[in-house]
Amino acid sequence: MSAIFKRELCSYFTSPVGYAVLSIFMFFSGIFFWVQCLYVGTSNMSTVFQSMFFIVLFVIPLITMRLFAEDKKQKTEQALLTAPVSIPGIVFSKYLSALVMLVFCLCSYIIEGIALSFMTTPDWSVILGNVFGMALLGSAFCAIGIFISSLTESVIVAAIASFAANALISLFDTVASTIPVDFIKNFISSLSFQTRYGHFALGLFSLADIVYFVTITFIFLFLTDRVIERKRWA
Amino acid sequence: MIKVKNLTKTYVREKALDNVSFSLGEGDILGFLGPNGAGKSTTMNIITGYLSADSGTVEIDGIDILENPTEAKKKIGYLPEIPPLYNDMTVQGYLEFIFKLKKIRLPMREHISKICDMVKITDVKGRIIKHLSKGYRQRVGLAQALLGEPPILILDEPTVGLDPQQIIEIRKLIRDLGKKHTIILSSHLLSEVQAVCDKIIIINNGKIVTEGLTDELTATGKSTTRMNLIIEGRMQQVYSLLQRIDGITNVTEQGECEKGCYEYVIESNRDVRRLIFRAFAKTDYNILSMKPVSVSLEDTYLDIITGKAEEENKNVSDI
């Protein structure tokens, strides 16, 4: 299992993908940090995290697009599936490599925090809480991306479809606001990633939100496992 | 070592495998022979646990591949039809990855160099797989199958893409490996199977058509002898004269090859060379050439495959 994890993580950096992801992420997080903290003159980074929602939504498909699609295309999945490793083991290793890649991206906030500390005392609990929230959001996006990657042989299709799926989920809020029936409205908005993630950015740390993102991650990793297993029987 | 029982596999509409059963002992080299789409790769994919059969069982050294896949897979080295290579890795990096993936408990560097020497890829160990030629890629694929010295090797067309010199080397390697490992190899090259394997299974349309030891199958071919004759003289008379000779089972006329001379192919169930000579010595017709044609496994194979095909066509037209 650790072999697959290491290979996937290394392959981000043997291709331009890893560098592209890191630079896109750090570029936007840097811009938002400059505009919303340094320029305005506040040490509150919450707004930066709120703005980064759409960047995460865009960047994660780049991280997850090749995880299964490329294996299928290059036929390397035959090596994985005939090795003494279970399918959940394979899925989890790949998920973990994507998550660690995201954590690399999140390190940029630590740098920004340190930059702030030269000027004022940053509120580390807010920064770390937000990083944790973004990691949870990213984890759910990763699981969705991996699931979509397992459905196709084309890396490009996987990227576009994951991006569309993520965007659709984020639209739940807009959809909810148009529905007049209250309980449907509440139900849909409770599914919204943006609302849930917004709680973290506001500094609210609720167990329900954590459970929600972990559950979404688990459901999509489980579905990925089913897709691969089903292919054996097709 | 390997027990395959009643495998059946259906893809969307067509039956890929129909009740395939066979078993192999330790140190056997089995050759899988069949035209494209016969079900060779499907069978191999099922044995290695990559695909699952609709029904039937596969036992690897007493372990059922469905009940305990992890243990069963540890005993198999598999080279699929397209070698599963990561293009972005170096040969050494890739082999180290497979080594860890297979959870092999041997000294890694030494073991990898040993395998690289065996398949002669030591000189490209530091190169990126993407830049390798087809022959090298095939050999890196073979190397990953050999890693960990699994007791069972399953090789899907192992010599595809190699040059003649390499083919000879790899065949020799497979024969040497056969002393310690149980090997299943598929090929569309009949000569290869003949040269390397002890046992042969001919498969067509998902069914086993023939199975047996290589020597036996080659010998069945020899029970009918075939000869090529060139005889000067009028075709019809020569033809009927040939037909009257005792032991000749079939005469086909191949056309005029020189002026007034015709070529014939005869099949007989025993040696008829003397009888033919005497029969023609009494006439004005001259035998210009008499050449026995060896019936190889290839003919047996083609007979079996086309024979079956014809039979099926007949069945279809009957309906």
Side-chain angles (χ1 to χ4, degrees):
Chain A
M1 230 174 88
S2 69
I4 300 176
F5 166 70
K6 265 191 231 161
R7 201 213 83 80
E8 292 299 342
L9 197 58
C10 288
S11 80
Y12 283 121
F13 297 100
T14 52
S15 71
V17 175
Y19 301 101
V21 165
L22 276 176
S23 29
I24 294 173
F25 193 92
M26 290 190 173
F27 175 76
F28 282 102
S29 119
I31 292 250
F32 290 138
F33 175 64
W34 177 61
V35 171
Q36 293 169 340
C37 286
L38 298 183
Y39 192 71
V40 187
T42 169
S43 68
N44 182 7
M45 280 175 65
S46 285
T47 48
V48 178
F49 284 96
Q50 226 149 15
S51 312
M52 282 304 282
F53 177 85
F54 288 99
I55 305 302
V56 172
L57 185 156
F58 173 72
V59 154
I60 301 257
L62 297 180
I63 299 180
T64 57
M65 61 184 182
R66 17 164 300 282
L67 286 175
F68 281 99
E70 197 161 77
D71 271 318
K72 262 195 269 180
K73 195 165 189 182
Q74 288 192 15
K75 306 282 175 199
T76 40
E77 61 166 1
Q78 269 182 318
L80 300 182
L81 294 175
T82 58
V85 191
S86 65
I87 296 176
I90 298 172
V91 174
F92 191 70
S93 319
K94 294 201 174 229
Y95 158 74
L96 215 56
S97 72
L99 197 63
V100 168
M101 188 64 211
L102 178 71
V103 169
F104 285 159
C105 293
L106 295 178
C107 285
S108 63
Y109 291 117
I110 308 298
I111 301 169
E112 283 160 18
I114 293 170
L116 268 186
S117 71
F118 285 109
M119 294 167 268
T120 170
T121 321
D123 191 344
W124 282 105
S125 60
V126 171
I127 296 177
L128 293 180
N130 267 312
V131 167
F132 181 69
M134 190 171 274
L136 279 176
L137 170 78
S139 153
F141 278 150
C142 281
I144 294 170
I146 287 175
F147 169 67
I148 290 173
S149 181
S150 75
L151 295 175
T152 170
E153 259 187 37
S154 158
V155 174
I156 301 293
V157 170
I160 294 172
S162 317
F163 179 66
N166 292 356
L168 197 70
I169 292 166
S170 320
L171 277 179
F172 278 1
D173 269 339
T174 326
V175 174
S177 63
T178 63
I179 292 171
V181 188
D182 261 359
F183 78 97
I184 299 177
K185 185 178 184 168
N186 292 341
F187 175 72
I188 292 180
S189 66
S190 74
L191 289 178
S192 161
F193 277 30
Q194 210 170 358
T195 314
R196 298 255 177 204
Y197 172 69
H199 295 161
F200 286 100
L202 289 173
L204 300 171
F205 218 73
S206 89
L207 189 65
D209 295 334
I210 298 174
V211 170
Y212 174 72
F213 283 123
V214 171
T215 310
I216 294 282
T217 307
F218 180 78
I219 288 173
F220 278 96
L221 291 182
F222 175 74
L223 288 177
T224 311
D225 171 71
R226 291 292 92 193
V227 166
I228 295 166
E229 182 67 32
R230 196 204 63 194
K231 246 200 75 193
R232 294 179 55 207
W233 298 90
Chain B
M1 212 60 193
I2 303 177
K3 264 191 206 151
V4 172
K5 253 188 234 157
N6 309 328
L7 282 191
T8 301
K9 173 85 182 168
T10 316
Y11 290 128
V12 185
R13 271 193 204 132
E14 49 192 314
K15 218 165 199 179
L17 285 184
D18 191 5
N19 226 352
V20 169
S21 308
F22 60 89
S23 64
L24 276 185
E26 213 174 319
D28 280 350
I29 308 184
L30 170 75
F32 247 133
L33 216 56
N36 291 333
K40 294 176 300 216
S41 294
T42 304
T43 312
M44 292 182 149
N45 279 333
I46 292 172
I47 296 173
T48 53
Y50 176 63
L51 291 178
S52 297
D54 299 345
S55 65
T57 55
V58 175
E59 260 181 41
I60 307 291
D61 206 5
I63 306 167
D64 191 297
I65 189 87
L66 280 183
E67 278 168 19
N68 195 347
T70 315
E71 279 310 305
K73 284 171 184 176
K74 274 186 188 168
K75 295 179 184 290
I76 302 176
Y78 181 35
L79 169 65
E81 205 173 349
I82 299 162
L85 306 178
Y86 283 102
N87 282 329
D88 55 343
M89 298 177 102
T90 61
V91 173
Q92 176 77 25
Y94 171 72
L95 292 177
E96 281 178 13
F97 163 66
I98 297 286
F99 185 94
K100 286 177 197 151
L101 186 68
K102 286 186 173 181
K103 298 169 184 159
I104 299 165
R105 287 198 183 83
L106 289 168
M108 184 168 77
R109 291 209 163 249
E110 290 161 38
H111 183 63
I112 289 178
S113 343
K114 188 180 139 199
I115 300 286
C116 286
D117 283 341
M118 261 163 97
V119 296
K120 300 205 167 62
I121 50 170
T122 311
D123 49 332
V124 295
K125 253 160 86 175
R127 296 215 353 225
I128 289 176
I129 293 177
K130 188 165 44 182
H131 302 310
L132 294 181
S133 68
K134 186 145 178 15
Y136 271 118
R137 293 172 68 90
Q138 190 70 22
R139 282 188 280 168
V140 175
L142 191 59
Q144 67 80 29
L146 294 176
L147 278 182
E149 296 179 344
I152 295 168
L153 288 175
I154 295 184
L155 312 172
D156 202 345
E157 304 193 350
T159 56
V160 165
L162 303 180
D163 66 40
Q165 176 64 31
Q166 293 167 343
I167 289 179
I168 293 168
E169 281 168 18
I170 294 294
R171 281 185 194 165
K172 187 173 172 297
L173 176 66
I174 294 173
R175 264 198 308 270
D176 290 344
L177 288 168
K179 286 171 196 157
K180 274 199 255 165
H181 305 249
T182 305
I183 300 177
I184 300 182
L185 96 107
S186 79
S187 180
H188 55 255
L189 293 176
L190 305 146
S191 54
E192 179 162 290
V193 171
Q194 243 171 329
V196 175
C197 304
D198 322 318
K199 267 178 107 175
I200 292 179
I201 286 181
I202 298 180
I203 184 167
N204 191 25
N205 292 331
K207 285 181 197 158
I208 291 182
V209 184
T210 308
E211 75 175 293
L213 299 172
T214 311
D215 301 338
E216 280 173 16
L217 285 180
T218 317
T220 16
K222 279 178 186 154
S223 69
T224 57
T225 31
R226 203 174 280 180
M227 259 196 300
N228 194 312
L229 294 170
I230 297 175
I231 299 171
E232 189 178 25
R234 293 169 65 185
M235 202 262 283
Q236 265 157 1
Q237 270 83 346
V238 173
Y239 189 86
S240 58
L241 202 59
L242 279 173
Q243 271 188 325
R244 263 182 271 140
I245 295 172
D246 224 18
I248 292 184
T249 50
N250 189 21
V251 182
T252 42
E253 186 265 319
Q254 304 280 312
E256 194 170 11
C257 55
E258 289 169 46
K259 198 176 178 340
C261 304
Y262 294 86
E263 195 179 333
Y264 308 85
V265 172
I266 61 158
E267 277 169 26
S268 57
N269 49 22
R270 59 185 126 115
D271 191 354
V272 288
R273 284 173 300 177
R274 289 171 192 84
L275 291 176
I276 294 173
F277 179 79
R278 278 201 205 114
F280 281 90
K282 289 179 205 150
T283 63
D284 292 337
Y285 309 125
N286 300 317
I287 301 174
L288 301 184
S289 148
M290 189 189 300
K291 202 164 58 188
V293 183
S294 68
V295 179
S296 65
L297 185 60
E298 183 149 1
D299 296 304
T300 322
Y301 169 63
L302 285 176
D303 284 351
I304 291 165
I305 300 293
T306 50
K308 282 277 163 185
E310 275 163 23
E311 218 169 87
E312 262 161 36
N313 284 344
K314 218 195 275 169
N315 289 344
V316 170
S317 59
D318 285 350
I319 297 162

